[in-house]
Amino acid sequence: MPKTVGIAVSNATFHFDKLYTYAVLPEHQNVVRLGSMVLVPFGKGSRARMGVVLACDAEPEHSKLKYLFDVAPASACLTPELLRLVYFLKERTFCTYYEAVKAVIPYGAQYKPAVAADGVTPVLQKQLTRHTENAYKLVGTLPQKPKPTAKQLAAVALLSGGPRTLNELEDKGISRAVLDNLCTKGVLECSKVNKSIDLYASIPLRNDPITLTEQQQAAYDTLLPKLEDTAPHSALLYGVTGSGKTLVFLKLISRCLELCRKALVLVPEISLTPQMILRLKGQFGRRVAVQHSALNHTERLLQWQMIQDGGADIVVGTRSAVFSPLENIGLIIIDEEQEHTYRSESAPRYSAHEVARQRAAENGALLLLASATPSTESFYAAQNGRTQLVRLTKRYGGNPLPSVQIVDMRAELAAGNPREISLALEDAIRRNLEAEKQTILLLNRRGYQTIAQCEDCREVLKCPKCSVPMVYHKSAHKVLCHYCGSQQEPPPTLCPACGGKLQYRGFGTQKAEEELAKLFPEARVLRMDQDSTAAKDAHEKLLAKFAAHEYDIMVGTQMVAKGLDFEDVTLVGVLGIDSLLFAQGFRAYENVFSLITQVVGRSGRAKEPGFAIIQTTDPDNPVLTLAAAQDYDAFYEQEIAYRKLGLYPPFCGLCVIGFAGARENEVARAAARFSALLGQQASKQPDLPLRILGPTPGSIEKINDTYRYKLTVKCRNDRRFRDLVRSTLALYEKEKLPSRASVVVDLHSDGDI
């Protein structure tokens, strides 16, 4: 029995994030184990603080050690694999132990400090109280006197097939009073069970046979040996849009379950989960659990509990689902693997790819990355034999790829068309409406008009707290900042700098919706952006309506570009792509190529051929012409040459160290000091390859009254480099610099997106 334990506490700074030793009271000795959630007295005032047990020791207690206040039940204990992931995140992402713990278990399964009924004793309290309900089972026979009622007979008949919950029995018209009466007679026994939520119970279980084309079967046959042995493997399924990658997934998952192993399926964003859930639930029924941020805390907790209790064979979800407490994983699929949403932007700053690779290694599983436009790093790994490459070159059903037309918007303007929808696109939409086919338009800016500029001094109306323009939202009649949420209503008409007249211009999804309504008054237009999908289940409901032909045109931001499969979409239009084409960052071209290829691939997925129109002011741009031709291989050759020349991933790792604080000069000085400290530490290891760039202001210099600077380090992402950054962070904290500028480290490995 452990007499002392090593505990990582919550809210520790990087510098103080170590294991603290505590003594264990006799009554806690049988419940404390590695991975237990505990409440401990911490600091001079012995304030209650959350912690997790990361070491157990039977050494005799030190007389001055403090005792644990409270221990959570064994069901809240981290599994050995999740515990190893805590260490993995701590080592790879520069987070604290407790930040890692919070990442691997959902909010509802976490605990918080509270006070017992005596008003004094510190105790643990669950963030969410578990919801229970009554369950009934048959334990005796129904006496024939007095004569049983029809409802009593019905209850006994139903329960003879096995236990049922109160909810299920009430649905059949049997009241609680009837059940309580039968319990009194000793016929039934009542117990409390955890409520289970079958979130997608309305999806019928079809369990259709999975029929693969010759090419899909060849891909499946190539991947099968990697699934069937118990060594870890990784593969890249590179298939053109509409080639039917999902069917290959379903067949692999089916085989994985036959091998008595579990499967994990990741999708990049919530808008794609409904379709994947529909396919998986339709095929595999109730053994599918779901984990993503659109679920409320209770739903998410109950799904997590179901996985932990072994009630799920398949988990589908967004990035954080990679931490599901699944055991014996045989297959991990990362769909649309090139998406940036697989990287976390808050601590711990992990990449789902890295965590998935780690879990595949631990479980001897197959990690399958899939995309029509793989990330340059993943394709490079496949080209160099580090990952197996499997191709699907034909569309499912033999359909051709969509034909694409590039429209020069400068010529449109010269011809007297000031609108954002070109004449060519207008004609194509009209023809599509007449043919009763559907259209998707991609416009990567929400809002109505995107900037307000002064006619006199040319200043743009910016957010008072951020260095970004305010965006006009017509429906709410106000200007909004998309970064900090600041708003002004009514929208100003005069320039705050010189008093001149403000002119609103630019084009967002709301304006596009209005322009479409004017051009095609008979068309039903659906807008999909962050504003229209804020409500719970909104993605699902809106996409279902579009699939049911309740709308003719869908206009939206990036969420309409990927993974969606609608039979009657035969036209896709791409508007306002130029802002992305000239964006900062070495991934700008890759992002544009991927986005256009993906959205163009939404059209012509059934019997009718697809057509796409790309509007731009730079019609000769090679990225646009390659995306229009859906020529990934040619794009990759061009991109990999650029990466090699500029020394970017996959030819090096990239570490971005960000600094943030309230005073710009202090943030700049703190960043410069960190750079100097890093240089001093690096000079002790002259053979360690690295290149330090900066510090420079962040791409957006100020957000919510906080100034941002960054250092970019080109490096090799290995333990030596991570130790170097760690020692520099410790020196930075020693000099009390975090009070001037907080620091975050975001490390992109050379083989990771």
Side-chain angles (χ1 to χ4, degrees):
M1 298 296 122
K3 300 280 180 65
T4 64
V5 284
I7 289 176
V9 294
S10 61
N11 300 326
T13 62
F14 189 83
H15 194 41
F16 290 104
D17 189 37
K18 58 185 185 191
L19 299 192
Y20 293 89
T21 307
Y22 284 86
V24 183
L25 289 163
E27 63 264 31
H28 289 150
Q29 284 184 12
N30 289 333
V31 273
V32 171
R33 61 191 73 178
L34 281 176
S36 287
M37 309 296 286
V38 292
L39 192 65
V40 296
F42 190 78
K44 281 181 184 163
S46 284
R47 289 234 179 103
R49 205 181 267 208
M50 287 299 308
V52 62
V53 176
L54 296 181
C56 288
D57 211 342
E59 289 298 308
E61 308 95 295
H62 187 282
S63 57
K64 289 184 182 167
L65 286 182
K66 294 177 182 176
Y67 283 92
L68 304 182
F69 281 143
D70 197 8
V71 184
S75 60
C77 199
L78 291 174
T79 63
E81 190 184 351
L82 291 184
L83 257 183
R84 288 193 291 275
L85 285 178
V86 166
Y87 280 104
F88 177 79
L89 290 173
K90 164 88 174 153
E91 144 66 11
R92 291 301 182 97
T93 69
F94 304 95
C95 66
T96 65
Y97 284 118
Y98 209 78
E99 282 170 339
V101 169
K102 284 165 82 170
V104 303
I105 53 175
Y107 172 85
Q110 292 167 25
Y111 282 78
K112 60 185 177 186
V115 177
D118 62 12
V120 181
T121 313
V123 290
L124 284 171
Q125 184 186 327
K126 285 206 87 166
Q127 291 282 18
L128 282 185
T129 45
R130 282 301 301 276
H131 295 259
T132 58
E133 58 183 331
N134 287 353
Y136 296 88
K137 74 173 180 183
L138 201 55
V139 289
T141 49
L142 189 60
Q144 290 310 299
K145 290 185 177 175
K147 191 176 179 206
T149 65
K151 286 280 196 267
Q152 287 176 336
L153 288 166
V156 169
L158 278 166
L159 288 165
S160 61
R164 289 184 179 238
T165 64
L166 176 61
N167 237 350
E168 290 169 325
L169 292 162
E170 282 180 337
D171 284 347
K172 305 280 188 207
I174 295 161
S175 70
R176 185 169 182 164
V178 170
L179 296 164
D180 287 347
N181 183 322
L182 289 171
C183 286
T184 311
K185 290 183 172 178
V187 179
L188 303 184
E189 187 178 88
C190 173
S191 60
K192 294 276 183 199
V193 295
N194 290 324
K195 259 189 189 170
S196 69
I197 298 179
D198 189 5
L199 283 175
Y200 299 89
S202 57
I203 298 172
L205 174 63
R206 291 206 310 275
N207 202 3
D208 299 332
I210 303 164
T211 315
L212 301 184
T213 63
E214 195 179 321
Q215 202 175 47
Q216 288 170 329
Q217 186 66 43
Y220 171 75
D221 291 341
T222 308
L223 292 165
L224 193 59
K226 305 280 189 281
L227 177 71
E228 290 185 334
D229 75 10
T230 52
H233 296 282
S234 68
L236 173 64
L237 181 60
Y238 159 45
V240 297
T241 53
S243 56
K245 292 183 281 295
T246 309
L247 280 173
V248 180
F249 299 165
L250 294 176
K251 189 93 175 186
L252 285 167
I253 293 168
S254 184
R255 181 65 188 132
C256 181
L257 300 191
E258 284 170 13
L259 295 166
C260 299
R261 302 187 79 189
K262 309 283 176 82
L264 177 58
V265 182
L266 300 183
V267 290
E269 49 192 278
I270 294 161
S271 60
L272 296 186
T273 46
Q275 285 205 332
M276 188 59 85
I277 291 163
L278 196 65
R279 302 295 290 269
L280 291 171
K281 279 270 183 188
Q283 197 68 40
F284 302 108
R286 289 183 67 122
R287 309 269 318 163
V288 178
V290 183
Q291 288 284 286
H292 62 70
S293 57
L295 304 180
N296 66 36
H297 288 317
T298 302
E299 289 169 337
R300 191 157 184 176
L301 172 64
L302 291 170
Q303 291 282 302
W304 191 79
Q305 201 73 48
M306 170 183 161
I307 302 164
Q308 197 180 36
D309 296 344
D313 296 319
I314 303 163
V315 174
V316 57
T318 46
R319 180 181 65 223
S320 60
V322 78
F323 296 116
S324 300
L326 270 180
E327 296 193 347
N328 190 19
I329 301 171
L331 176 66
I332 302 176
I333 294 169
I334 303 186
D335 196 19
E336 306 293 357
E337 68 86 26
Q338 77 288 354
E339 286 301 315
H340 67 90
T341 44
Y342 284 123
R343 284 199 71 85
S344 165
E345 289 182 358
S346 58
R349 287 175 163 71
Y350 66 91
S351 142
H353 287 60
E354 274 200 354
V355 179
R357 199 166 285 124
Q358 176 69 11
R359 295 199 75 177
E362 288 235 341
N363 287 271
L366 168 63
L367 170 61
L368 181 61
L369 309 177
S371 178
T373 55
S375 70
T376 306
E377 290 89 324
S378 294
F379 202 70
Y380 180 76
Q383 295 285 56
N384 286 287
R386 289 210 312 273
T387 297
Q388 183 177 18
L389 180 61
V390 182
R391 287 178 183 252
L392 293 172
T393 55
K394 297 191 187 84
R395 280 193 139 189
Y396 190 66
N399 300 346
L401 285 166
S403 50
V404 181
Q405 177 186 354
I406 294 179
V407 173
D408 184 350
M409 292 307 281
R410 294 168 306 183
E412 287 280 316
L413 203 57
N417 175 22
R419 289 197 317 263
E420 294 288 337
I421 291 174
S422 63
L423 297 172
L425 184 56
E426 183 189 337
D427 287 348
I429 294 173
R430 190 159 276 122
R431 282 197 303 274
N432 230 31
L433 287 169
E434 285 163 7
E436 296 187 350
K437 295 294 176 191
Q438 290 173 296
T439 301
I440 292 179
L441 299 180
L442 168 75
L443 173 58
N444 216 29
R445 288 191 297 264
R446 64 191 177 102
Y448 185 78
Q449 283 169 320
T450 45
I451 60 166
Q453 192 172 28
C454 175
E455 289 180 351
D456 297 340
C457 72
R458 313 307 292 161
E459 273 293 308
V460 169
L461 178 68
K462 285 195 171 170
C463 167
K465 295 180 175 180
C466 308
S467 48
V468 292
M470 301 286 270
V471 177
Y472 174 49
H473 286 242
K474 190 178 185 183
S475 51
H477 192 55
K478 58 187 170 193
V479 287
L480 272 179
C481 171
H482 286 177
Y483 283 84
C484 73
S486 293
Q487 45 186 277
Q488 293 176 31
E489 55 179 323
T493 52
L494 300 177
C495 170
C498 74
K501 190 176 172 211
L502 284 175
Q503 187 181 6
Y504 285 83
R505 58 163 67 100
F507 194 67
T509 44
Q510 288 180 10
K511 180 101 180 275
E513 185 182 22
E514 189 178 278
E515 203 164 279
L516 288 164
K518 278 185 193 155
L519 286 169
F520 313 107
E522 74 289 1
R524 296 160 303 171
V525 180
L526 166 65
R527 175 164 57 85
M528 286 279 287
D529 57 24
Q530 239 175 310
D531 301 316
S532 68
T533 58
K536 183 167 164 50
D537 298 336
H539 287 102
E540 226 156 306
K541 288 171 182 161
L542 293 175
L543 292 173
K545 285 182 173 181
F546 188 69
H549 254 287
E550 290 180 35
Y551 294 98
D552 307 302
I553 302 169
M554 176 157 67
V555 56
T557 51
Q558 289 200 21
M559 61 179 72
V560 305
K562 303 169 234 27
L564 303 175
D565 196 350
F566 299 108
E567 285 197 357
D568 280 340
V569 172
T570 53
L571 173 65
V572 163
V574 180
L575 290 65
I577 198 71
D578 295 354
S579 61
L580 284 178
L581 208 48
F582 306 118
Q584 289 185 325
F586 73 95
R587 291 192 203 285
Y589 277 7
E590 179 178 283
N591 292 344
V592 170
F593 180 87
S594 171
L595 191 62
I596 291 180
T597 307
Q598 294 282 348
V599 74
V600 165
R602 297 309 109 217
S603 89
R605 295 173 75 90
K607 298 176 194 71
E608 303 290 325
F611 182 55
I613 289 177
I614 301 169
Q615 299 187 168
T616 176
T617 55
D618 188 10
D620 301 320
N621 190 296
V623 178
L624 296 183
T625 47
L626 289 170
Q630 302 251 317
D631 191 346
Y632 176 82
D633 291 86
F635 170 76
Y636 169 78
E637 291 304 326
Q638 181 184 303
E639 184 70 6
I640 203 76
Y642 152 69
R643 299 277 186 97
K644 194 168 189 177
L645 189 68
L647 189 62
Y648 285 110
F651 299 102
C652 70
L654 208 60
C655 181
V656 180
I657 302 162
F659 302 87
R663 293 195 185 85
E664 187 180 7
N665 59 346
E666 287 196 354
V667 177
R669 280 211 297 275
R673 181 62 186 145
F674 189 98
S675 177
L677 290 168
L678 185 63
Q680 284 166 22
Q681 294 298 100
S683 65
K684 296 172 189 171
Q685 302 182 56
D687 63 323
L688 194 66
L690 55 95
R691 198 179 286 180
I692 302 173
L693 310 172
T696 57
S699 44
I700 296 169
E701 201 172 329
K702 185 175 73 161
I703 293 181
N704 207 2
D705 280 333
T706 302
Y707 290 91
R708 295 140 43 99
Y709 272 69
K710 66 178 181 186
L711 267 181
T712 304
V713 186
K714 291 182 176 181
C715 58
R716 188 181 290 146
N717 180 3
D718 57 16
R719 180 157 284 173
R720 279 179 70 198
F721 176 73
R722 292 194 293 270
D723 286 346
L724 174 76
V725 174
R726 225 170 252 116
S727 62
T728 310
L729 283 167
L731 292 170
Y732 184 83
E733 283 200 359
K734 225 175 193 170
E735 295 190 10
K736 302 209 168 22
L737 289 166
S739 59
R740 296 183 188 178
S742 61
V743 59
V744 295
V745 179
D746 200 352
L747 184 54
H748 298 237
S749 74
D750 39 12
D752 184 34
I753 67 161

